[in-house]
Amino acid sequence: MNTFPRIAARAMPRPARHALLGLTLALGSVLPAHADLFADNDARRAILELRQQVAQLQQAQQQQAQQIQQVRSSLLDLNGQIEQVKGDVAQLRGQQDTTVRQLNQDVAKVVASQKDLSQRLAPLEPVSVQIDGKPFTVQPAEKAAYEQAMAAFRGSQFDAAASGFKAFIEQYPASPYIAGAQYWEGNSLFALQRYKDAITAFQAMIDDHADNAHAPQAMLGLANCQVELRQLHAARLTLEHLIKRFPNSEAARTAHDRLKKLK
């Protein structure tokens, strides 16, 4: 324990000791008050800082709320735009469906018109045919007329066949069917025992188409007509000419047999 203050105090005069004691008491009462004052200032400062932080937080919350509201407004606008786009797309789809449907109807009309036109033009368009192994182009009506006359001949309707071939020759004199028409007309007339008319048909075919595949048979038919008309000399000349002109033909072999019978 430090005894120096006590010794010093005892050494002081009494009035000085009383003054020192008073000063000490005064200081003892003043120091705690200042300490309390310092503590209150710190608390106030802390409260102010907290209030500032709270204010800052409130301001930040307000700003965040405003931003959220702006985002919500933007989303609402965006949703509105999306709905508008959906409506536009639906309208465009409807227009597209209408356009496609109309286009399909127009295409169907065009196809139907083309089909109808093709059907009407078909009888006028040339067709390709094979005649005696060679390709030709003929009119549909021309082909039909020839085939109709041939059908009559195959059906033993010789009168209709003869008339059909005669009409064909008059209507289509340049037809590639003309040699066949003359030949089968001669055969139709021979079947009708119209031998003079048959001779005319066979002779026309021989004169106009001497190199045709039907020419040997046409000469044989001509000779047969001459035999039926008792034109035997003419028949022999025709058969001899046939053998000389087409020696390797089937008609030539038949002509040899006929000549033997005519002698």
Side-chain angles (χ1 to χ4, degrees):
M1 181 177 181
N2 191 358
T3 59
F4 176 76
R6 292 182 180 179
I7 296 173
R10 289 193 191 103
M12 288 182 183
R14 184 179 297 275
R17 287 201 302 270
H18 287 293
L20 179 60
L21 179 60
L23 179 60
T24 301
L25 292 174
L27 288 173
S29 62
V30 171
L31 288 174
H34 280 290
D36 292 339
L37 180 60
F38 290 147
D40 290 342
N41 288 336
D42 291 339
R44 289 190 185 94
R45 189 178 300 109
I47 291 171
L48 289 175
E49 290 177 355
L50 288 174
R51 286 179 178 175
Q52 290 177 354
Q53 292 177 1
V54 170
Q56 290 175 355
L57 289 174
Q58 290 177 346
Q59 184 178 4
Q61 288 178 349
Q62 290 177 356
Q63 292 177 352
Q64 187 177 14
Q66 291 176 355
Q67 292 175 353
I68 292 173
Q69 185 62 34
Q70 291 176 355
V71 171
R72 287 178 178 174
S73 299
S74 299
L75 289 175
L76 290 175
D77 292 340
L78 182 60
N79 286 333
Q81 293 176 6
I82 291 174
E83 292 299 325
Q84 180 65 37
V85 170
K86 287 182 178 179
D88 294 341
V89 170
Q91 184 177 4
L92 289 174
R93 285 178 178 173
Q95 293 175 354
Q96 183 180 13
D97 292 341
T98 302
T99 302
V100 170
R101 185 165 51 252
Q102 184 64 43
L103 180 61
N104 289 335
Q105 292 175 355
D106 293 341
V107 170
K109 290 180 181 178
V110 171
V111 171
S113 298
Q114 289 180 343
K115 184 177 180 180
D116 180 65
L117 182 61
S118 297
Q119 290 176 347
R120 286 188 291 175
L121 291 177
L124 304 177
E125 293 180 354
V127 294
S128 297
V129 295
Q130 290 282 333
I131 301 175
D132 297 330
K134 297 179 181 179
F136 292 95
T137 300
V138 298
Q139 295 297 324
E142 175 185 356
K143 181 174 180 287
Y146 182 80
E147 290 179 347
Q148 184 177 2
M150 282 299 304
F153 181 84
R154 293 190 184 101
S156 299
Q157 300 174 9
F158 301 116
D159 190 43
S163 299
F165 287 121
K166 180 177 177 60
F168 181 89
I169 293 168
E170 293 175 351
Q171 187 172 0
Y172 304 103
S175 172
Y177 286 117
I178 195 68
Q182 291 170 334
Y183 171 72
W184 292 110
E185 181 192 17
N187 281 285
S188 299
L189 293 169
F190 182 85
L192 293 171
Q193 298 182 358
R194 293 168 54 183
Y195 302 120
K196 290 183 179 181
D197 293 332
I199 288 175
T200 301
F202 284 133
Q203 192 63 59
M205 189 271 167
I206 295 167
D207 293 340
D208 297 339
H209 309 283
D211 295 329
N212 188 270
H214 292 300
Q217 291 294 334
M219 295 183 71
L220 186 60
L222 174 60
N224 290 335
C225 291
Q226 292 168 338
V227 169
E228 293 295 334
L229 293 174
R230 306 307 296 171
Q231 299 174 3
L232 301 181
H233 178 69
R236 282 194 291 269
L237 291 177
T238 301
L239 292 172
E240 289 172 355
H241 184 52
L242 167 59
I243 294 170
K244 182 178 179 180
R245 189 167 184 179
F246 304 103
N248 298 321
S249 66
E250 182 66 28
R253 288 189 286 272
T254 303
H256 280 292
D257 295 336
R258 298 283 173 86
L259 280 175
K260 292 178 182 179
K261 294 179 181 179
L262 290 177
K263 289 182 179 179

